[in-house]
Amino acid sequence: MNNILEAYLITLLNNLMNRLTRITSILIQLQSKKVVTAKEIADRFEISLRTVYRDIKTLEEAGVPIGSENGIGYFIVDGYSLPPVMITEEEANALIVSEKLISNQGDASLIKDFNSILIKIKSVLRSFEKENIAKLENRIIPSYKKDVFESNWLSQIQKSITNGKVLTISYHSIYKNEETLREIEPLGVYYTDKAWIVIAYCRLRKDIREFRLDRILKINSTSQTFDYQKDFSLSKYFSRFTEPC
């Protein structure tokens, strides 16, 4: 269960970073035009209109003066400019620890996404903070895990979970030593001591199945959407294995 908790925390952190990046990008997009429609934002980030409204509300609650005109779109009130991002040294240190954990999880897409946002955060630190971060980076080593199965699909699968897009995958089963083409509806991901696992509804088997990411040979997003299983959660899913018979 410790591995499951660790994976859950890493996934949660990654989702929060993705949303932070998106909200910041929405703010920049609003500043780039006189008026931006909700549909423009939704199409750019491949999100629902409901998510757009939620993100706009988040920006408004953060103090960004956003105006709106019914049937036209959103706009930034004149005179507002994007303030510099400021984080504490302690927060930066926490990100370095997270970086070490993520670098040891075996999925290249997660490592790439995290390193990208970390570079952006480091860019706003003061000189002495950058020196301290560099010192800390060389003095933290995560527990070494042998035989970690490498993958490169986690970022795309997470995007499918949030956007409700069906994925097609070429999957290699080591039990039958065969490759099959599947259409899946991703519901959640977790990490074992060696590999990332996606829990998904498999349209071929017509049931919820688990797929190891390192056994996915190819993956493509489709234009098909699926309804969110709102009652699905990892805690409920794993409770089936811990409840007494």
Side-chain angles (χ1 to χ4, degrees):
M1 292 303 293
N2 288 337
N3 290 325
I4 294 172
L5 178 60
E6 179 180 318
Y8 173 77
L9 292 174
I10 291 174
T11 302
L12 179 62
L13 175 63
N14 195 45
N15 288 339
L16 288 172
M17 289 189 302
N18 287 341
R19 184 162 187 250
L20 174 61
T21 301
R22 185 180 72 240
I23 289 175
T24 302
S25 297
I26 289 174
L27 178 54
I28 294 173
Q29 184 177 5
L30 289 171
Q31 290 184 302
S32 68
K33 295 177 63 177
K34 185 176 181 180
V35 177
V36 179
T37 67
K39 187 178 184 304
E40 284 182 271
I41 298 173
D43 290 344
R44 179 188 177 193
F45 298 99
E46 298 182 351
I47 56 178
S48 67
L49 289 175
R50 178 178 295 182
T51 301
V52 173
Y53 302 147
R54 186 184 64 189
D55 288 349
I56 291 294
K57 183 178 180 181
T58 297
L59 286 169
E60 290 174 332
E61 291 175 346
V64 179
I66 298 177
S68 63
E69 294 184 28
N70 291 333
I72 299 178
Y74 298 102
F75 59 90
I76 298 289
V77 175
D78 288 341
Y80 179 82
S81 60
L82 183 63
V85 178
M86 295 300 294
I87 64 172
T88 67
E89 186 175 358
E90 290 78 9
E91 290 169 338
N93 291 344
L95 287 171
I96 295 303
V97 174
S98 300
E99 178 189 28
K100 297 298 182 180
L101 289 172
I102 288 175
S103 66
N104 206 19
Q105 302 306 309
D107 189 86
S109 66
L110 175 61
I111 296 171
K112 179 182 177 181
D113 290 344
F114 189 88
N115 286 345
S116 177
I117 193 169
L118 193 58
I119 289 172
K120 294 176 183 178
I121 292 173
K122 287 180 179 179
S123 69
V124 303
L125 296 177
R126 290 165 290 184
S127 295
F128 79 92
E129 291 173 329
K130 292 177 182 178
E131 292 175 1
N132 290 343
I133 288 296
K135 182 189 299 182
L136 189 62
E137 286 178 324
N138 294 324
R139 300 194 182 190
I140 294 180
I141 298 178
S143 58
Y144 177 67
K145 296 180 180 179
K146 297 187 296 182
D147 303 323
V148 172
F149 299 128
E150 296 182 357
S151 60
N152 193 29
W153 313 117
L154 184 59
S155 181
Q156 195 166 351
I157 288 172
Q158 287 179 316
K159 191 174 182 180
S160 172
I161 292 174
T162 57
N163 294 343
K165 292 291 182 68
V166 175
L167 297 176
T168 59
I169 62 171
S170 295
Y171 192 74
H172 178 248
S173 171
I174 61 172
Y175 302 109
K176 296 183 179 181
N177 193 27
E178 64 179 7
E179 180 182 339
T180 59
L181 184 65
R182 313 284 187 100
E183 285 189 344
I184 64 171
E185 302 173 4
L187 301 173
V189 291
Y190 70 94
Y191 184 72
T192 67
D193 59 342
K194 290 186 178 181
W196 281 96
I197 310 292
V198 56
I199 304 167
Y201 178 80
C202 176
R203 292 187 169 183
L204 177 65
R205 304 304 185 195
K206 300 185 185 307
D207 196 7
I208 292 179
R209 297 296 177 90
E210 294 189 358
F211 302 92
R212 265 181 38 184
L213 268 61
D214 63 298
R215 293 182 188 164
I216 296 177
L217 306 177
K218 296 179 183 178
I219 189 168
N220 288 293
S221 181
T222 72
S223 59
Q224 302 178 65
T225 60
F226 62 91
D227 294 331
Y228 290 101
Q229 297 196 26
K230 295 182 179 179
D231 59 340
F232 179 86
S233 69
L234 288 177
S235 59
K236 289 181 180 179
Y237 179 80
F238 289 116
S239 67
R240 300 182 306 167
F241 306 106
T242 57
E243 291 176 349
C245 298

Coordinates of all heavy atoms in Angstrom, one line a residue, residues 14 52 93 114 166 171 195 211 225:
N14 N 1.4 15.8 -10.0 CA 1.5 16.0 -11.4 C 0.2 16.7 -12.0 O 0.3 17.6 -12.8 CB 1.7 14.7 -12.1 CG 2.2 14.9 -13.6 OD1 3.0 15.7 -13.8 ND2 1.6 14.1 -14.5
V52 N -13.4 25.2 -18.3 CA -13.0 26.6 -18.6 C -13.6 27.5 -17.6 O -12.9 28.4 -17.0 CB -13.4 27.0 -20.0 CG1 -13.2 28.5 -20.2 CG2 -12.7 26.2 -21.1
N93 N 12.6 23.7 -2.3 CA 13.2 22.5 -1.7 C 12.3 21.3 -1.9 O 12.7 20.2 -2.2 CB 13.6 22.7 -0.3 CG 14.8 23.7 -0.1 OD1 15.4 24.1 -1.1 ND2 15.0 24.2 1.1
F114 N 7.6 17.2 -15.6 CA 8.0 17.8 -14.3 C 9.2 18.7 -14.4 O 9.3 19.8 -13.9 CB 8.3 16.7 -13.3 CG 8.4 17.2 -11.9 CD1 7.3 17.4 -11.0 CD2 9.7 17.6 -11.4 CE1 7.5 17.9 -9.8 CE2 9.9 18.1 -10.1 CZ 8.7 18.3 -9.3
V166 N -11.1 8.5 -25.6 CA -10.8 7.1 -25.7 C -9.4 6.9 -26.3 O -9.0 7.7 -27.2 CB -11.8 6.4 -26.6 CG1 -11.4 4.9 -26.9 CG2 -13.2 6.4 -26.0
Y171 N -1.0 -3.6 -27.3 CA -0.6 -4.1 -26.0 C 0.0 -5.5 -26.1 O -0.6 -6.3 -26.8 CB -1.8 -4.1 -25.0 CG -1.4 -4.4 -23.6 CD1 -0.8 -3.4 -22.8 CD2 -1.6 -5.6 -23.0 CE1 -0.4 -3.6 -21.5 CE2 -1.2 -5.9 -21.7 CZ -0.7 -4.9 -21.0 OH -0.3 -5.1 -19.6
A195 N 6.5 -0.7 -11.8 CA 5.9 -0.2 -13.1 C 4.6 0.6 -12.8 O 4.0 0.5 -11.8 CB 5.5 -1.4 -14.0
F211 N -3.5 -2.4 -17.2 CA -2.5 -2.6 -18.3 C -1.2 -1.9 -17.8 O -1.2 -0.8 -17.3 CB -2.9 -1.8 -19.5 CG -4.2 -2.3 -20.1 CD1 -5.4 -1.7 -19.8 CD2 -4.2 -3.4 -21.0 CE1 -6.6 -2.2 -20.3 CE2 -5.4 -3.9 -21.6 CZ -6.6 -3.3 -21.2
T225 N -15.2 10.1 -27.2 CA -15.2 10.5 -25.8 C -16.0 9.4 -25.0 O -16.8 8.7 -25.6 CB -15.9 11.9 -25.6 OG1 -17.2 11.8 -26.1 CG2 -15.1 13.0 -26.3

